[in-house]
Amino acid sequence: MNKDNLHILVTGGTGYIGSHVVVELLDQGHTVEIVDNLINSQIEVLDKIEQITNQRPVFHEVDLLDSSALNQVFDHSHFDLVIHFAGLKAVAESIEQPLKYYDNNITGALNLLQSMQSHDVKQLIFSSSATVYGDQGIEQCVETLPTGIKLTNPYGKTKYMIEEILKDLCVADPEFNIIALRYFNPVGNHVSGLLGENPNGIPNNLMPYIMKVAAGELPELHIFGNDYETPDGTCLRDYIHVVDLARGHLAAIRGLKPGFTAYNLGTGRPTSVLEMVTAFEQVSGQPLSHSFAPRRPGDLPKLYADPSKAERDLNWHAELTIEDAIRDILTFINHK
Ligand code: NAD
Ligand code: UDP
């Protein structure tokens, strides 16, 4: 496969990570079509993508659960490869509504794989998550670790289960080339401030919560736990700029090979919640109201990537810092 000008289907391409990947793909000269049902994104994202790249991807408002509509997308165009972002991702909601999550994420993935196989499209990059490593008491995760250990929520289990399905598919059909990218904690947005993460309601994740406090929409950040066995007592995570993450997908396209392969996409650098607050205050020049609250059930004290496999095989590593992410977030907040 010549990898220079590919025709790529991006599911979930109007979402937070997908939209950033679409920008990078268009900038590299690929042709992009998007499938999204807009359950967690807005159609206006297409205008922003066009503003940044001067190109507008073809958009199909299709639910992956609608297999006949999905097949029609594949009937209409021949894709060289698929990047699969579409899925529901709210951990707490997945505990409350497991069937919704299993249906949307697993059935959606199965429908996609069936359409791909029946249309002879056999190159796939899948959005997986560091959550597949579960709780095995290991802080720096490497791809040789087992997965699926003590997973605490249905969302994480869907990522694990889809990876297992992909492995089985590669055994049964050796023509498939599949990469699962295990994201650590994506943060930040495109430098233009036109794209970004903007959840409705009260966010669950740290950075969207900080953004709402900085924008004056929420009074203060509650830091969940300051008595962990970490240098400052707050949890450590691996925050990766979403543009670095997006570029990891371009590297993965170049690195596709027969069978199933998983790569961590992270920086390898742990940052505590308090360090993130301090960095935000330094870059913004404003204090960020915060207080300590009890631990959040299910949180691991320390989780960060060993990203050396992606560096070795894909020649990719993260280049941007959390300060870059915060600067870009401030541009995004000012654009809203
Ligand atoms: P997002 O919610 O912004 O994007 C997902 C997109 O998928 C949305 O536009 C949504 O409308 C669409 N979608 C959901 N179900 C669909 C369906 N049945 N049919 C069609 N479209 C559907 O989320 P994101 O943060 O961009 O995440 C993208 C992917 O990366 C997800 O699979 C997520 O689980 C995974 N991931 C995200 C993170 C993170 O912290 N953001 C971390 C690890 C993995
Ligand atoms: N966190 C916090 N307050 C919040 C949201 C998150 O203190 O309002 C902490 C959380 O306990 C964790 C870190 O920030 O230690 C990252 O949380 P997030 O939900 O963003 O990512 P995940 O836990 O899934 O890695």
Side-chain angles (χ1 to χ4, degrees):
M1 179 175 71
N2 175 354
K3 295 191 174 170
D4 285 341
N5 182 2
L6 301 176
H7 195 160
I8 301 177
L9 179 68
V10 179
T11 76
T14 44
Y16 168 50
I17 301 170
S19 59
H20 285 87
V21 172
V22 168
V23 164
E24 297 296 319
L25 293 171
L26 292 171
D27 278 346
Q28 290 295 309
H30 299 297
T31 303
V32 176
E33 296 193 29
I34 293 174
V35 161
D36 202 300
N37 65 357
L38 301 176
I39 189 127
N40 199 36
S41 53
Q42 290 79 38
I43 191 78
E44 291 74 24
V45 166
L46 297 174
D47 301 331
K48 312 285 184 189
I49 292 172
E50 192 174 2
Q51 261 180 279
I52 295 169
T53 65
N54 286 323
Q55 298 170 74
R56 195 174 182 89
V58 175
F59 179 72
H60 306 272
E61 187 173 342
V62 165
D63 191 322
L64 292 187
L65 298 183
D66 182 348
S67 54
S68 81
L70 186 60
N71 269 317
Q72 281 174 28
V73 174
F74 279 85
D75 290 343
H76 181 260
S77 300
H78 179 76
F79 300 108
D80 298 302
L81 92 105
V82 175
I83 310 184
H84 178 38
F85 296 100
L88 297 174
K89 61 167 185 175
V91 170
E93 188 187 52
S94 81
I95 294 169
E96 286 155 20
Q97 300 182 59
L99 299 184
K100 177 176 163 185
Y101 271 67
Y102 288 124
D103 192 28
N104 192 73
N105 292 6
I106 307 276
T107 311
L110 287 173
N111 286 346
L112 178 67
L113 293 168
Q114 278 156 355
S115 290
M116 287 177 66
Q117 195 172 36
S118 64
H119 291 82
D120 206 25
V121 180
K122 299 196 174 175
Q123 321 271 340
L124 174 70
I125 293 171
F126 169 59
S127 293
S128 191
S129 165
T131 190
V132 299
Y133 293 112
D135 182 4
Q136 35 193 318
I138 289 169
E139 49 195 80
Q140 188 171 27
C141 295
V142 63
E143 293 87 344
T144 47
L145 285 171
T147 53
I149 311 294
K150 288 205 244 165
L151 301 180
T152 53
N153 61 78
Y155 164 70
K157 289 179 189 172
T158 67
K159 293 294 172 195
Y160 168 69
M161 288 174 187
I162 294 168
E163 283 200 6
E164 294 302 299
I165 291 167
L166 297 177
K167 289 176 196 170
D168 290 341
L169 179 60
C170 288
V171 171
D173 185 343
E175 288 180 359
F176 267 95
N177 298 349
I178 299 182
I179 286 181
L181 295 175
R182 297 176 180 160
Y183 310 152
F184 281 70
N185 292 60
V187 291
N189 47 260
H190 190 263
V191 67
S192 63
L194 290 170
L195 296 172
E197 195 175 15
N198 192 18
N200 292 327
I202 298 183
N204 297 304
N205 296 112
L206 179 64
M207 200 47 109
Y209 204 106
I210 288 180
M211 287 165 67
K212 296 229 174 200
V213 175
E217 293 170 34
L218 288 170
E220 64 171 2
L221 171 71
H222 306 286
I223 297 180
F224 300 139
N226 62 341
D227 56 354
Y228 286 100
E229 282 190 24
T230 58
D232 63 21
T234 66
C235 291
L236 299 174
R237 292 288 182 278
D238 186 337
Y239 298 95
I240 173 167
H241 196 299
V242 69
V243 171
D244 271 333
L245 191 79
R247 292 180 182 147
H249 293 71
L250 297 185
I253 292 173
R254 293 190 292 274
L256 276 166
K257 58 184 185 195
F260 173 92
T261 317
Y263 291 102
N264 291 338
L265 292 186
T267 66
R269 287 187 302 273
T271 301
S272 75
V273 181
L274 265 179
E275 283 171 332
M276 187 60 96
V277 169
T278 304
F280 204 96
E281 290 179 329
Q282 276 168 357
V283 177
S284 68
Q286 302 286 332
L288 188 88
S289 296
H290 60 276
S291 63
F292 293 111
R295 292 181 178 196
R296 184 172 67 176
D299 269 346
L300 300 177
K302 306 172 188 176
L303 187 69
Y304 56 100
D306 176 340
S308 52
K309 185 179 178 192
E311 168 86 64
R312 209 168 46 239
D313 290 7
L314 305 178
N315 196 21
W316 171 92
H317 61 263
E319 292 177 357
L320 300 167
T321 62
I322 55 170
E323 286 78 14
D324 293 321
I326 294 165
R327 184 202 59 215
D328 296 336
I329 283 169
L330 293 168
T331 312
F332 176 70
I333 292 174
N334 288 331
H335 256 282
K336 279 202 292 168

